[in-house]
Amino acid sequence: MNAIALEFKKNAVRTVKDLQRRQLVKTALGNFEIARNDKVARFQDWQKARYVAAKLKWEALENLHANIQRLEENLKKNGAIVHWAATAEEARRIVSAIAKEKNARLIVKSKAMTAEEIHLNEALEKEGYEVVETDLGEFIVQLRREPPYHIVFPAMHLTRYEISDLFAQKLGSQPTDKAEELTMIARRVLREKYIKADIGITGANFAVADCGVISITENEGNARLTAALPKVMITLIGIEKVIPKLEDLALFLPMLATAGAAQLISGYNTFYSGPRKNGETDGPQEYHVILLDNGRTELLADPIERDALRCIRCGACLNVCPIYRTIGGHSYGTTYCGPIGAVITPIMRGIEDWQQLSYASSLCGACAEICPVKIILHHHLLKNRKIAATKKPVWWQKIGFKIFSKISTCPTLWSIITKCGRLLQKLHPLVKGSRLDPAYAWTKERDLPPIAPQTFKEWWRSKK
Amino acid sequence: MNDRGTILASIQEALKKPSVKQDIYKAEDNISELIKQVMPPVGESFDERLALFRKNAQELKAEFYAVNSTDEVVQTILKIKDAEQWKSVATHPNELTESICNRIGLPILKLTAGYDITEFEKCSASITVCDCLVAQTGSVVVSSASTGGRAISVLPPHHIVIAKKEQLAPTMSDAIALVRKKYNGNFPSMVSFITGPSRTGDIERILVLGAHGPKRLTIFLF
Ligand code: SF4
């Protein structure tokens, strides 16, 4: 096993044992599910809505070459400056060049998974800029110097007591057990930051080609402020987010909120087209949009895996995933965790290092069932397993499966082996759970189900 | 090759292979018709839509008043002003909002380009018009072009919106069509669909209002 896989396993085992944290996550996601089902029921036809959303996203991807150029053209018409970044490094370079040119000191950021992906904060901090996350959850995990636990709810793994201690320690606030008071502490701290900030950086949910518009969804209003007060605004967006028409958002925005946040619509859905226009009261003087590839065209090049680029990052697949719920967001060690992360990370960052994520699934398919754009996530996991096995076969697995296929295709051998198995299982209690146990990896924490006393064939014969 | 060229070339190359798709509607389906069929229903009459707007807005903790005249608007605002002990209000150059503000009897900050942010920060509330309301979702649509800029609807603790009956759009699709028509070819730098006051559930999923933006959102329709 490689180092990344070992780390994954170690972290997963650790979280599995942290029952309190698991309970917290489980309760939160359980309540969430009830609220979500209520919103889903308000649609006249949610299942059909998924079909339509899937179709729209497919078309958007298949016409990406034209759409993205149209987007660029229209953004420019609206006065925005468009940059292209093939790699994370280039994207970081672009942001840091803008910051340098503007003589910036303080940068405020609203939630951007793309920024997590390219490790933007670390890079900017290293260059001496103060970078402040303004989304409450992101602000909390930033103070803890850890990555977000969930792509939509970054601090869902923490109790208010932990957050109170954190604020007391880092911000010098009075301890409190009220979520409201904690939120107000953050509000006060961040208000000042918006007003002083030189640059505001945001992520985005959609980029609309036909009007040159970037659409940002949020509940807190922090992205709104990030886009209103600093003199320069930068949006970092993955190239797969381009859709052709503004009208499509009438479907996507409510679906994103319903699937991801159990709301019919999010608090703020905002379209940004450029810097402040003539006659407008406020807003940035410059608007930069960075179109980020960073492995996405790799996904696009695979006719099957391409599917995963339709993802609108709603987080619904994480919420329903029994593995995510158990091992938590940090175990994955990736920017995008949960089923969608397990699907795209091996392809974007190398199957050799990340193939273990393909096994972080029970293949129950709950993710595919909820996904608003109908990505059949568990099929992708299976495909990734296959790619990994073909690319870098493990010798003992190969031998093992050869033997298995021999036995299972020869009825006589099969019946002899199962008979032996039944006999041997009688002796199993002698070694069960000890290091001598051949099934130790399984039995140290679980029971091995007994082999049925009769095979189907034997049972059939006895009935005749 | 620069990054633009590289990315465009990779996209073109990648898309040479046709996608393997499952479960997809045919290309000839009429999308806007399909969207209408799947989205939450909005009813036929104005009254049904008004009731729906009220329900959706209130569910997300916005306060909604359907009134008969600006007099009623002023009366209600005066009550809120006393209850919240307002010191000053912000508004934007607009006949309707200015005439209402003038009757509140408080210092008014009329936001124009280059306004003083410290003064603005002290305002207890902001009063704006809107581009439209959306019954289907309970949203208010504002823009940088016609409703006072970007910050006015998020900075003060209480945002008050004055809308006219004819501004109630039934569906999201209608609202987007309206925005497109109104600003045809000259899109404002910002258009925002606001639903309820600023909110967060980031701490143990407990709902807290006024995370960064307004703690209260009040909508008047007359
Ligand atoms: S894969 Fe589907 S469910 Fe998961 S985050 Fe993306 S859109 Fe949402």
Side-chain angles (χ1 to χ4, degrees):
Chain A
M1 237 190 263
N2 65 41
I4 300 175
L6 283 173
E7 188 67 21
F8 171 60
K9 204 167 164 190
K10 199 179 84 201
N11 291 336
V13 169
R14 201 184 43 226
T15 329
V16 166
K17 291 195 178 130
D18 188 347
L19 291 183
Q20 223 177 333
R21 191 128 358 245
R22 275 173 61 189
Q23 188 57 42
L24 187 72
V25 170
K26 202 175 135 200
T27 319
L29 292 177
N31 293 341
F32 172 86
E33 217 159 280
I34 299 167
R36 188 204 57 218
N37 290 345
D38 168 54
K39 301 301 171 316
V40 162
R42 306 227 184 143
F43 280 71
Q44 289 174 75
D45 192 339
W46 173 257
Q47 293 310 331
K48 195 159 161 190
R50 294 173 67 222
Y51 268 111
V52 183
K55 173 191 160 75
L56 287 174
K57 265 288 194 170
W58 260 128
E59 283 173 6
L61 273 183
E62 293 187 317
N63 298 308
L64 185 57
H65 193 254
N67 288 344
I68 200 166
Q69 292 183 73
R70 189 129 182 255
L71 171 77
E72 180 191 31
E73 189 189 313
N74 284 324
L75 274 169
K76 280 185 176 163
K77 253 190 227 152
N78 292 331
I81 303 164
V82 180
H83 306 262
W84 300 69
T87 58
E89 204 186 344
E90 176 62 10
R92 288 193 300 261
R93 196 197 58 72
I94 294 167
V95 178
S96 116
I98 298 170
K100 198 160 164 203
E101 192 205 312
K102 301 293 163 210
N103 255 323
R105 295 197 8 218
L106 174 60
I107 299 174
V108 284
K109 263 190 70 219
S110 72
K111 203 168 160 32
M113 290 309 291
T114 38
E116 296 288 335
E117 180 184 326
I118 66 167
H119 302 288
L120 185 62
N121 289 11
E122 292 90 320
L124 289 172
E125 278 168 6
K126 230 188 238 152
E127 288 173 24
Y129 302 105
E130 184 188 350
V131 187
V132 182
E133 292 287 350
T134 58
D135 172 86
L136 179 59
E138 293 279 349
F139 176 68
I140 293 167
V141 293
Q142 188 188 33
L143 287 180
R144 283 171 61 97
R145 297 245 141 238
E146 62 183 24
Y149 198 78
H150 185 288
I151 60 180
V152 180
F153 317 126
M156 73 174 308
H157 59 304
L158 301 172
T159 63
R160 54 212 136 106
Y161 309 101
E162 285 168 303
I163 296 167
S164 168
D165 289 348
L166 175 75
F167 281 6
Q169 192 197 353
K170 301 271 171 154
L171 309 171
S173 60
Q174 287 300 317
T176 167
D177 60 358
K178 301 219 168 46
E180 161 130 36
E181 278 172 32
L182 290 167
T183 307
M184 292 309 133
I185 294 167
R187 177 183 165 117
R188 279 194 294 277
V189 172
L190 291 169
R191 244 324 147 83
E192 249 175 67
K193 301 286 181 190
Y194 292 117
I195 293 175
K196 287 200 195 126
D198 307 292
I199 296 181
I201 300 181
T202 75
N205 301 83
F206 299 94
V208 188
D210 75 344
C211 314
V213 153
I214 301 293
S215 174
I216 302 179
T217 295
E218 49 152 347
N219 277 310
E220 297 182 0
N222 62 313
R224 286 284 312 271
L225 286 164
T226 304
L229 301 179
K231 282 205 230 25
V232 179
M233 173 178 175
I234 304 174
T235 293
L236 188 58
I237 182 169
I239 55 169
E240 85 283 13
K241 303 263 167 168
V242 185
I243 58 168
K245 291 200 320 281
L246 198 63
E247 281 69 16
D248 298 346
L249 290 178
L251 180 70
F252 283 129
L253 298 178
M255 286 190 79
L256 172 65
T258 300
Q263 295 171 311
L264 197 50
I265 188 113
S266 314
Y268 299 92
N269 284 291
T270 312
F271 308 156
Y272 296 99
S273 70
R276 170 203 308 195
K277 284 200 162 165
N278 264 343
E280 292 183 356
T281 326
D282 51 9
Q285 290 154 3
E286 265 178 38
Y287 184 33
H288 297 263
V289 176
I290 304 173
L291 302 168
L292 176 72
D293 179 345
N294 199 28
R296 287 166 174 79
T297 45
E298 211 117 322
L299 265 172
L300 193 67
D302 186 319
I304 297 178
E305 304 283 2
R306 179 178 298 166
D307 195 27
L309 282 179
R310 290 188 286 136
C311 173
I312 56 173
R313 302 276 186 269
C314 68
C317 55
L318 282 60
N319 300 342
V320 296
C321 178
I323 307 296
Y324 175 86
R325 288 180 174 199
T326 314
I327 67 171
H330 287 156
S331 299
Y332 290 80
T334 57
T335 309
Y336 304 104
C337 49
I340 184 65
V343 168
I344 61 176
T345 313
I347 301 169
M348 291 172 70
R349 291 172 65 181
I351 201 128
E352 286 81 9
D353 283 344
W354 297 97
Q355 61 133 325
Q356 66 278 1
L357 295 185
S358 319
Y359 296 88
S361 166
S362 63
L363 299 178
C364 66
C367 47
E369 216 164 279
I370 192 61
C371 175
V373 287
K374 284 181 87 79
I375 302 172
I376 310 188
L377 291 146
H378 57 303
H379 286 191
H380 288 284
L381 292 174
L382 277 175
K383 178 163 184 258
N384 286 355
R385 291 185 190 182
K386 190 169 164 197
I387 298 175
T390 335
K391 255 198 178 166
K392 211 175 144 199
V394 183
W395 65 268
W396 58 265
Q397 282 180 357
K398 251 173 92 176
I399 297 175
F401 276 107
K402 276 234 170 76
I403 296 174
F404 178 75
S405 91
K406 272 266 145 30
I407 298 171
S408 60
T409 49
C410 171
T412 340
L413 254 182
W414 181 257
S415 99
I416 295 172
I417 295 286
T418 44
K419 283 209 178 89
C420 292
R422 238 175 275 147
L423 280 177
L424 286 173
Q425 205 176 30
K426 291 226 170 72
L427 303 174
H428 190 220
L430 295 176
V431 291
K432 191 176 157 209
S434 79
R435 293 269 174 186
L436 290 172
D437 187 349
Y440 176 69
W442 181 269
T443 53
K444 69 177 167 181
E445 270 153 9
R446 285 158 286 213
D447 274 338
L448 200 60
I451 300 175
Q454 265 180 322
T455 64
F456 176 74
K457 239 162 118 186
E458 286 161 356
W459 176 83
W460 187 253
R461 257 189 232 123
S462 72
K463 292 280 159 199
K464 263 200 183 160
Chain B
M1 219 183 331
N2 60 8
D3 280 39
R4 181 180 189 277
T6 318
I7 296 175
L8 283 173
S10 320
I11 294 175
Q12 200 161 28
E13 186 56 40
L15 287 171
K16 279 190 183 148
K17 291 172 233 150
S19 319
V20 178
K21 298 185 208 172
Q22 298 171 332
D23 268 5
I24 290 291
Y25 267 93
K26 294 177 293 307
E28 60 270 21
D29 293 329
N30 176 344
I31 291 295
S32 63
E33 187 48 41
L34 281 174
I35 293 181
K36 206 188 277 167
Q37 284 168 18
V38 298
M39 287 284 288
V42 291
E44 292 299 327
S45 68
F46 176 79
D47 287 340
E48 276 174 90
R49 288 167 183 175
L50 185 69
L52 181 65
F53 180 83
R54 180 194 301 275
K55 176 173 159 270
N56 283 332
Q58 286 176 345
E59 190 174 78
L60 282 158
K61 308 278 188 269
E63 291 149 64
F64 178 66
Y65 299 90
V67 294
N68 293 316
S69 63
T70 43
D71 287 345
E72 274 184 61
V73 175
V74 174
Q75 292 312 321
T76 318
I77 292 182
L78 284 174
K79 275 188 211 134
I80 301 174
K81 166 193 120 174
D82 290 340
E84 289 194 328
Q85 303 184 341
W86 289 1
K87 302 275 180 317
S88 58
V89 271
T91 187
H92 57 103
N94 176 284
E95 222 176 290
L96 181 61
T97 56
E98 283 180 63
S99 80
I100 290 172
C101 286
N102 286 334
R103 294 163 65 187
I104 303 178
L106 280 179
I108 304 166
L109 180 68
K110 192 160 81 178
L111 293 192
T112 46
Y115 61 77
D116 178 353
I117 178 94
T118 348
E119 271 312 299
F120 179 34
E121 248 264 292
K122 287 188 201 139
C123 289
S124 320
S126 62
I127 302 184
T128 74
V129 292
C130 65
D131 283 315
C132 65
L133 305 178
V134 192
Q136 194 167 47
T137 53
S139 314
V140 177
V141 183
V142 298
S143 71
S144 52
S146 41
T147 64
R150 296 193 183 196
I152 194 164
S153 51
V154 271
L155 205 76
H158 194 157
H159 178 206
I160 292 183
V161 179
I162 320 280
K164 291 188 177 155
K165 279 203 174 103
E166 59 271 22
Q167 285 186 304
L168 180 66
T171 65
M172 279 292 280
S173 297
D174 295 321
I176 288 176
L178 207 132
V179 166
R180 193 194 270 283
K181 202 165 143 223
K182 183 167 177 183
Y183 299 112
N184 184 25
N186 187 22
F187 217 84
S189 76
M190 183 210 82
V191 173
S192 192
F193 286 65
I194 302 177
T195 318
S198 152
R199 65 191 50 238
T200 184
D202 272 348
I203 299 176
E204 287 192 28
R205 316 281 324 119
I206 300 167
L207 176 69
V208 178
L209 299 180
H212 296 273
K215 295 185 171 81
R216 286 178 75 182
L217 171 68
T218 303
I219 305 159
F220 289 99
L221 183 90
F222 74 95

